[in-house]
Amino acid sequence: MKKLAVKKNAECMACLECVRACSESFYKEFHQDYSCVRIISKNNAPKPMTCIQCGKCAKACEHDAIAQNPKTGVYMINKKKCISCGKCVEVCPMHVMVLKPENPASKCIACGICVKACPMEILEIVEK
């Protein structure tokens, strides 16, 4: 399974470049709430939160709009099936699913845009 991960013992400086890259990729604007990467404070230090590809969003979706890609293992949203109900956002344990008003939900698809944007090189796409 392919997923976005934070390198062990990596220190985030909370520059938000990963957040910027993600929100601009999905929505063509920089907005922290529209990024599938969140920077939280943990033990008084910034920590990136990323999708763990757990599938809880797919189980919560009553419209079968979220399915796991059989080749990559990444959970993907079918924008045509998504009715923007927000149930997937509510169950996300990492709080990294996005629901912008009047848009289908979005989530990390392990595209690597945030990895390339991080000046500290603390993000990576891994195979699990």
Side-chain angles (χ1 to χ4, degrees):
M1 175 189 316
K2 193 169 116 170
K3 70 178 194 172
L4 176 65
V6 179
K7 294 178 183 176
K8 289 190 181 208
N9 301 318
E11 290 188 31
C12 175
M13 63 180 194
C15 68
L16 303 180
E17 286 305 311
C18 58
V19 173
R20 175 185 303 280
C22 184
S23 70
E24 287 179 353
S25 173
F26 274 107
Y27 296 105
K28 309 298 182 231
E29 67 176 297
F30 173 51
H31 194 296
Q32 290 184 39
D33 292 340
Y34 302 155
S35 173
C36 300
V37 179
R38 307 272 185 198
I39 307 298
I40 65 163
S41 179
K42 186 172 183 179
N43 299 325
N44 292 320
K47 179 181 183 343
M49 298 300 289
T50 62
C51 177
I52 57 174
Q53 303 296 338
C54 66
K56 289 183 180 181
C57 54
K59 290 178 186 135
C61 182
E62 297 173 1
H63 300 278
D64 297 321
I66 305 174
Q68 190 174 31
N69 180 308
K71 290 183 181 178
T72 64
V74 173
Y75 285 88
M76 311 278 286
I77 298 174
N78 181 328
K79 305 286 185 192
K80 292 179 182 174
K81 289 183 175 182
C82 178
I83 65 161
S84 304
C85 68
K87 289 183 180 176
C88 57
V89 175
E90 292 172 9
V91 300
C92 179
M94 307 308 284
H95 307 288
V96 292
M97 291 207 54
V98 176
L99 187 59
K100 181 180 178 186
E102 300 174 22
N103 285 268
S106 57
K107 65 172 293 303
C108 179
I109 57 172
C111 68
I113 287 174
C114 58
V115 174
K116 292 175 188 164
C118 178
M120 301 298 288
E121 299 179 348
I122 67 167
L123 299 172
E124 63 185 343
I125 301 295
V126 296
E127 290 282 339
K128 289 280 180 170

